[in-house]
Protein backbone atom coordinates (compact mmCIF):
# COMPACT_ATOMS: atom_id res chain seq x y z
CA UNK A 1 0.00 0.00 0.00
CA UNK A 2 2.81 2.42 0.89
CA UNK A 3 4.54 1.74 -2.47
CA UNK A 4 1.28 2.49 -4.28
CA UNK A 5 0.79 5.76 -2.40
CA UNK A 6 4.38 6.85 -3.09
CA UNK A 7 3.98 5.96 -6.77
CA UNK A 8 0.78 8.03 -7.05
CA UNK A 9 2.45 11.00 -5.34
CA UNK A 10 5.45 10.84 -7.70
CA UNK A 11 3.14 10.65 -10.73
CA UNK A 12 1.26 13.75 -9.53
CA UNK A 13 4.45 15.87 -9.35
CA UNK A 14 4.92 16.35 -13.13
CA UNK A 15 1.17 16.88 -13.51
CA UNK A 16 1.22 19.69 -10.93
CA UNK A 17 4.31 21.26 -12.53
CA UNK A 18 2.62 21.07 -15.93
CA UNK A 19 -0.52 22.76 -14.62
CA UNK A 20 1.55 25.52 -12.99
CA UNK A 21 3.49 26.04 -16.23
CA UNK A 22 0.31 26.25 -18.34
CA UNK A 23 -1.31 28.75 -15.95
CA UNK A 24 1.89 30.78 -15.79
CA UNK A 25 2.21 30.98 -19.58
CA UNK A 26 -1.49 31.78 -20.07
CA UNK A 27 -1.32 34.62 -17.58
CA UNK A 28 1.71 36.04 -19.36
CA UNK A 29 0.07 36.12 -22.79
CA UNK A 30 -3.17 37.72 -21.60
CA UNK A 31 -3.31 41.38 -22.72
CA UNK A 32 -2.86 44.04 -20.07
CA UNK A 33 -0.12 45.27 -17.80
CA UNK A 34 -0.41 44.63 -14.04
CA UNK A 35 1.61 47.73 -13.16
CA UNK A 36 -0.66 49.95 -15.24
CA UNK A 37 -3.72 48.40 -13.60
CA UNK A 38 -2.20 49.02 -10.18
CA UNK A 39 -1.31 52.64 -10.90
CA UNK A 40 -4.34 53.41 -13.12
CA UNK A 41 -3.84 55.66 -16.14
CA UNK A 42 -2.40 58.74 -14.38
CA UNK A 43 1.18 57.54 -14.12
CA UNK A 44 4.45 58.39 -15.82
CA UNK A 45 6.04 55.78 -18.15
CA UNK A 46 9.32 56.08 -16.22
CA UNK A 47 7.60 55.12 -12.96
CA UNK A 48 5.88 52.16 -14.64
CA UNK A 49 9.22 50.91 -15.92
CA UNK A 50 10.78 51.30 -12.47
CA UNK A 51 8.01 49.21 -10.86
CA UNK A 52 8.26 46.57 -13.59
CA UNK A 53 11.98 46.27 -12.89
CA UNK A 54 11.41 46.10 -9.13
CA UNK A 55 8.75 43.40 -9.57
CA UNK A 56 11.03 41.53 -12.03
CA UNK A 57 8.37 41.61 -14.75
CA UNK A 58 11.04 42.40 -17.34
CA UNK A 59 12.83 39.10 -16.73
CA UNK A 60 12.38 36.32 -19.33
CA UNK A 61 9.30 34.14 -18.81
CA UNK A 62 11.26 30.97 -18.04
CA UNK A 63 13.43 32.80 -15.50
CA UNK A 64 10.33 34.08 -13.71
CA UNK A 65 8.74 30.61 -13.86
CA UNK A 66 11.64 28.79 -12.23
CA UNK A 67 11.99 31.59 -9.66
CA UNK A 68 8.31 31.16 -8.84
CA UNK A 69 8.71 27.37 -8.49
CA UNK A 70 11.72 27.77 -6.21
CA UNK A 71 9.87 30.21 -3.97
CA UNK A 72 6.64 28.16 -4.02
CA UNK A 73 8.51 25.07 -2.78
CA UNK A 74 9.49 27.19 0.23
CA UNK A 75 5.89 28.27 0.81
CA UNK A 76 6.36 31.72 -0.72
CA UNK A 77 3.71 32.40 -3.40
CA UNK A 78 4.67 36.03 -3.78
CA UNK A 79 2.90 39.29 -2.95
CA UNK A 80 -0.46 40.30 -4.38
CA UNK A 81 -0.09 43.13 -6.90
CA UNK A 82 -3.46 44.60 -5.98
CA UNK A 83 -3.60 44.12 -2.20
CA UNK A 84 0.16 44.29 -1.47
CA UNK A 85 -0.10 41.34 0.94
CA UNK A 86 1.43 37.88 1.04
CA UNK A 87 -0.56 35.52 -1.18
CA UNK A 88 -0.24 32.69 1.34
CA UNK A 89 -1.86 34.87 4.02
CA UNK A 90 -4.73 35.80 1.69
CA UNK A 91 -5.31 32.13 0.83
CA UNK A 92 -5.35 31.11 4.50
CA UNK A 93 -7.99 33.79 5.19
CA UNK A 94 -10.18 32.82 2.21
CA UNK A 95 -9.87 29.03 2.30
CA UNK A 96 -12.09 28.39 5.37
CA UNK A 97 -15.01 30.12 3.63
CA UNK A 98 -14.57 27.91 0.57
CA UNK A 99 -14.36 24.78 2.74
CA UNK A 100 -17.53 25.77 4.61
CA UNK A 101 -19.39 26.32 1.34
CA UNK A 102 -18.08 23.04 -0.09
CA UNK A 103 -19.16 21.04 2.98
CA UNK A 104 -22.64 22.59 2.89
CA UNK A 105 -22.94 21.91 -0.85
CA UNK A 106 -21.79 18.30 -0.42
CA UNK A 107 -24.39 17.74 2.33
CA UNK A 108 -27.10 19.22 0.08
CA UNK A 109 -26.00 16.94 -2.79
CA UNK A 110 -26.02 13.82 -0.63
CA UNK A 111 -29.23 14.58 1.27
CA UNK A 112 -31.11 15.27 -1.98
CA UNK A 113 -29.40 12.93 -4.42
CA UNK A 114 -29.45 9.66 -2.46
CA UNK A 115 -33.16 9.73 -1.41
CA UNK A 116 -34.16 10.93 -4.90
CA UNK A 117 -32.29 8.04 -6.50
CA UNK A 118 -33.81 5.49 -4.12
CA UNK A 119 -37.37 6.73 -4.69
CA UNK A 120 -36.85 6.82 -8.47
CA UNK A 121 -35.60 3.23 -8.49
CA UNK A 122 -38.35 1.88 -6.24
CA UNK A 123 -41.07 3.83 -8.11
CA UNK A 124 -39.64 3.17 -11.57
CA UNK A 125 -41.55 4.69 -14.50
CA UNK A 126 -44.00 6.51 -12.23
CA UNK A 127 -44.67 10.23 -11.88
CA UNK A 128 -42.26 10.40 -8.93
CA UNK A 129 -39.52 8.77 -11.00
CA UNK A 130 -40.01 11.22 -13.86
CA UNK A 131 -40.15 14.19 -11.46
CA UNK A 132 -36.92 13.34 -9.66
CA UNK A 133 -35.06 12.44 -12.85
CA UNK A 134 -36.28 15.66 -14.49
CA UNK A 135 -35.15 17.63 -11.45
CA UNK A 136 -31.77 15.85 -11.61
CA UNK A 137 -31.42 16.59 -15.31
CA UNK A 138 -32.09 20.29 -14.67
CA UNK A 139 -29.39 20.34 -12.00
CA UNK A 140 -26.81 18.71 -14.26
CA UNK A 141 -27.71 20.88 -17.27
CA UNK A 142 -28.24 24.33 -15.76
CA UNK A 143 -25.11 26.51 -15.39
CA UNK A 144 -24.21 27.54 -11.85
CA UNK A 145 -24.45 31.27 -12.57
CA UNK A 146 -27.96 30.91 -14.03
CA UNK A 147 -29.22 28.83 -11.10
CA UNK A 148 -27.71 31.35 -8.68
CA UNK A 149 -29.32 34.36 -10.32
CA UNK A 150 -32.71 32.63 -10.52
CA UNK A 151 -32.61 31.66 -6.84
CA UNK A 152 -31.60 35.18 -5.85
CA UNK A 153 -34.52 36.61 -7.82
CA UNK A 154 -37.12 34.16 -6.45
CA UNK A 155 -36.08 33.52 -2.83
CA UNK A 156 -34.32 36.79 -2.00
CA UNK A 157 -35.90 39.49 -4.16
CA UNK A 158 -39.46 38.21 -4.58
CA UNK A 159 -40.16 36.05 -1.50
CA UNK A 160 -37.61 37.77 0.78
CA UNK A 161 -36.90 34.49 2.55
CA UNK A 162 -33.10 34.55 2.31
CA UNK A 163 -30.38 37.24 2.06
CA UNK A 164 -29.13 38.04 -1.43
CA UNK A 165 -25.42 38.01 -0.62
CA UNK A 166 -23.09 37.79 2.38
CA UNK A 167 -21.48 35.16 4.57
CA UNK A 168 -22.02 36.19 8.20
CA UNK A 169 -24.65 33.57 9.16
CA UNK A 170 -25.89 30.12 8.23
CA UNK A 171 -28.79 31.62 6.24
CA UNK A 172 -26.29 33.23 3.87
CA UNK A 173 -24.94 29.78 2.91
CA UNK A 174 -28.31 28.13 2.12
CA UNK A 175 -28.73 29.43 -1.44
CA UNK A 176 -25.04 29.08 -2.42
CA UNK A 177 -24.96 25.51 -1.06
CA UNK A 178 -28.11 24.53 -2.96
CA UNK A 179 -26.86 26.14 -6.18
CA UNK A 180 -23.45 24.49 -5.93
CA UNK A 181 -24.77 21.11 -4.76
CA UNK A 182 -27.69 20.83 -7.19
CA UNK A 183 -25.57 19.52 -10.08
CA UNK A 184 -23.83 16.97 -7.85
CA UNK A 185 -27.19 15.89 -6.42
CA UNK A 186 -28.45 15.20 -9.94
CA UNK A 187 -25.43 13.05 -10.75
CA UNK A 188 -25.73 11.10 -7.49
CA UNK A 189 -29.48 10.56 -7.96
CA UNK A 190 -29.02 9.13 -11.45
CA UNK A 191 -26.15 6.89 -10.32
CA UNK A 192 -28.07 5.59 -7.28
CA UNK A 193 -31.12 4.86 -9.44
CA UNK A 194 -29.21 2.94 -12.13
CA UNK A 195 -27.20 0.91 -9.59
CA UNK A 196 -30.23 0.13 -7.46
CA UNK A 197 -32.29 -1.00 -10.45
CA UNK A 198 -29.47 -3.35 -11.45
CA UNK A 199 -29.12 -4.78 -7.94
CA UNK A 200 -32.87 -5.33 -7.55
CA UNK A 201 -32.76 -7.77 -10.50
CA UNK A 202 -30.29 -10.11 -8.77
CA UNK A 203 -31.14 -13.55 -7.39
CA UNK A 204 -30.43 -12.73 -3.74
CA UNK A 205 -33.12 -10.02 -3.88
CA UNK A 206 -35.64 -12.58 -5.15
CA UNK A 207 -34.58 -14.88 -2.33
CA UNK A 208 -35.13 -12.13 0.23
CA UNK A 209 -38.60 -11.49 -1.18
CA UNK A 210 -39.38 -15.21 -1.11
CA UNK A 211 -38.53 -15.22 2.60
CA UNK A 212 -41.29 -12.69 3.17
CA UNK A 213 -39.13 -9.66 3.98
CA UNK A 214 -40.71 -6.24 3.57
CA UNK A 215 -39.75 -4.28 0.46
CA UNK A 216 -38.28 -1.44 2.55
CA UNK A 217 -36.08 -3.91 4.45
CA UNK A 218 -34.91 -5.46 1.19
CA UNK A 219 -34.04 -2.10 -0.36
CA UNK A 220 -32.31 -0.63 2.71
CA UNK A 221 -30.78 -3.78 4.20
CA UNK A 222 -29.71 -5.67 1.08
CA UNK A 223 -29.81 -3.67 -2.15
CA UNK A 224 -28.40 -0.36 -0.88
CA UNK A 225 -25.28 -1.98 0.60
CA UNK A 226 -24.21 -3.07 -2.88
CA UNK A 227 -25.59 -0.12 -4.84
CA UNK A 228 -23.78 2.49 -2.72
CA UNK A 229 -20.22 1.26 -3.38
CA UNK A 230 -19.68 3.18 -6.66
CA UNK A 231 -21.80 6.06 -5.34
CA UNK A 232 -19.47 6.60 -2.37
CA UNK A 233 -16.52 6.78 -4.77
CA UNK A 234 -18.36 9.35 -6.88
CA UNK A 235 -19.24 11.38 -3.78
CA UNK A 236 -15.58 11.58 -2.77
CA UNK A 237 -14.53 12.70 -6.25
CA UNK A 238 -17.26 15.35 -6.33
CA UNK A 239 -15.85 17.13 -3.27
CA UNK A 240 -12.84 18.35 -5.28
CA UNK A 241 -15.19 19.36 -8.08
CA UNK A 242 -17.27 21.39 -5.64
CA UNK A 243 -14.13 23.24 -4.52
CA UNK A 244 -13.43 24.15 -8.14
CA UNK A 245 -17.03 25.08 -8.87
CA UNK A 246 -17.06 27.59 -6.04
CA UNK A 247 -15.55 30.28 -8.28
CA UNK A 248 -18.84 31.38 -9.86
CA UNK A 249 -20.93 30.66 -6.76
CA UNK A 250 -18.75 32.75 -4.46
CA UNK A 251 -18.66 35.58 -6.98
CA UNK A 252 -22.46 35.65 -7.35
CA UNK A 253 -23.21 35.46 -3.62
CA UNK A 254 -20.35 37.63 -2.38
CA UNK A 255 -18.53 34.97 -0.34
CA UNK A 256 -14.85 35.92 0.16
CA UNK A 257 -13.41 32.48 -0.55
CA UNK A 258 -10.77 31.13 -2.92
CA UNK A 259 -13.16 31.31 -5.87
CA UNK A 260 -13.98 34.97 -5.29
CA UNK A 261 -10.26 35.66 -4.90
CA UNK A 262 -9.57 34.01 -8.28
CA UNK A 263 -12.32 36.05 -9.92
CA UNK A 264 -10.98 39.32 -8.52
CA UNK A 265 -7.40 38.33 -9.40
CA UNK A 266 -8.40 37.76 -13.04
CA UNK A 267 -10.15 41.14 -13.15
CA UNK A 268 -7.11 42.91 -11.66
CA UNK A 269 -4.57 40.75 -13.52
CA UNK A 270 -3.10 39.89 -10.14
CA UNK A 271 -0.88 37.00 -11.29
CA UNK A 272 0.65 35.99 -7.93
CA UNK A 273 -2.77 35.72 -6.26
CA UNK A 274 -4.29 33.77 -9.15
CA UNK A 275 -1.32 31.37 -9.40
CA UNK A 276 -1.31 30.80 -5.65
CA UNK A 277 -5.04 30.15 -5.59
Amino acid sequence: MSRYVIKRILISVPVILGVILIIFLMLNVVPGDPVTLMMREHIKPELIEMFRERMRLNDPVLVRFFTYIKNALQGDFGVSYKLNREVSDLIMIAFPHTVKLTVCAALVAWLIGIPAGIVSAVKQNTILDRFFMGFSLMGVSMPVFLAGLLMQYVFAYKLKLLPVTGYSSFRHFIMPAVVLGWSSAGTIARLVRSNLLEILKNDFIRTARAKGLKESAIVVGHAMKNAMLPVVTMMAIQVSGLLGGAVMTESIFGIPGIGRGCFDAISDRDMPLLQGS
Side-chain angles (χ1 to χ4, degrees):
M1 186 64 183
S2 59
R3 290 178 60 188
Y4 175 77
V5 172
I6 293 172
K7 180 182 177 181
R8 297 300 298 180
I9 292 174
L10 292 177
I11 290 174
S12 68
V13 171
V15 175
I16 294 172
L17 291 175
V19 171
I20 294 173
L21 176 60
I22 291 171
I23 294 174
F24 192 90
L25 293 176
M26 288 177 64
L27 290 174
N28 278 274
V29 299
V30 172
D33 183 68
V35 178
T36 305
L37 289 172
M38 288 169 57
M39 303 296 181
R40 305 305 177 188
E41 67 264 12
H42 303 294
I43 189 71
K44 294 181 179 180
E46 298 82 8
L47 196 55
I48 292 178
E49 189 61 31
M50 185 186 73
F51 270 94
R52 287 186 61 85
E53 193 66 34
R54 181 182 299 177
M55 296 161 64
R56 303 192 65 178
L57 294 174
N58 291 331
D59 293 349
V61 175
L62 287 179
V63 172
R64 283 188 285 139
F65 173 70
F66 286 112
T67 302
Y68 175 77
I69 292 295
K70 183 185 72 173
N71 295 333
L73 291 174
Q74 300 173 2
D76 180 11
F77 295 102
V79 178
S80 168
Y81 293 160
K82 177 74 173 180
L83 303 175
N84 197 28
R85 294 180 60 184
E86 292 287 339
V87 170
S88 55
D89 294 339
L90 294 172
I91 291 175
M92 291 304 295
I93 294 172
F95 192 60
H97 299 298
T98 300
V99 171
K100 188 186 297 184
L101 175 60
T102 300
V103 170
C104 293
L107 291 175
V108 167
W110 301 339
L111 292 176
I112 294 177
I114 295 175
I118 295 173
V119 173
S120 296
V122 174
K123 303 293 184 180
Q124 185 184 10
N125 297 326
T126 63
I127 294 177
L128 279 175
D129 181 21
R130 293 188 178 91
F131 171 77
F132 283 123
M133 287 301 98
F135 184 79
S136 301
L137 183 60
M138 284 182 61
V140 174
S141 305
M142 187 177 294
V144 171
F145 70 88
L146 179 58
L149 294 175
L150 286 175
M151 289 196 68
Q152 282 180 327
Y153 179 75
V154 174
F155 293 101
Y157 178 70
K158 284 293 186 181
L159 301 179
K160 310 229 183 271
L161 296 176
L162 295 169
V164 179
T165 59
Y167 63 98
S168 58
S169 67
F170 175 75
R171 294 179 70 246
H172 288 93
F173 279 89
I174 294 177
M175 278 200 298
V178 172
V179 168
L180 188 58
W182 189 3
S183 176
S184 298
T187 304
I188 291 173
R190 295 167 73 86
L191 185 60
V192 170
R193 180 183 184 275
S194 62
N195 289 338
L196 197 55
L197 286 174
E198 191 67 29
I199 296 296
L200 289 174
K201 297 176 183 177
N202 289 341
D203 292 336
F204 72 91
I205 297 296
R206 297 193 194 95
T207 304
R209 285 174 178 151
K211 291 180 179 180
L213 293 177
K214 293 181 179 180
E215 191 67 20
S216 59
I218 294 173
V219 172
V220 176
H222 294 76
M224 283 302 297
K225 289 181 180 178
N226 296 278
M228 284 300 293
L229 291 176
V231 177
V232 171
T233 304
M234 175 62 69
M235 290 162 62
I237 295 173
Q238 282 183 337
V239 173
S240 61
L242 291 172
L243 282 168
V247 175
M248 289 302 301
T249 308
E250 290 178 354
S251 301
I252 292 171
F253 291 97
I255 299 174
I258 296 291
R260 177 68 181 274
C262 288
F263 185 84
D264 293 340
I266 293 172
S267 303
D268 299 326
R269 209 175 186 278
D270 194 340
M271 290 186 290
L273 180 57
L274 186 57
Q275 289 168 182
S277 299

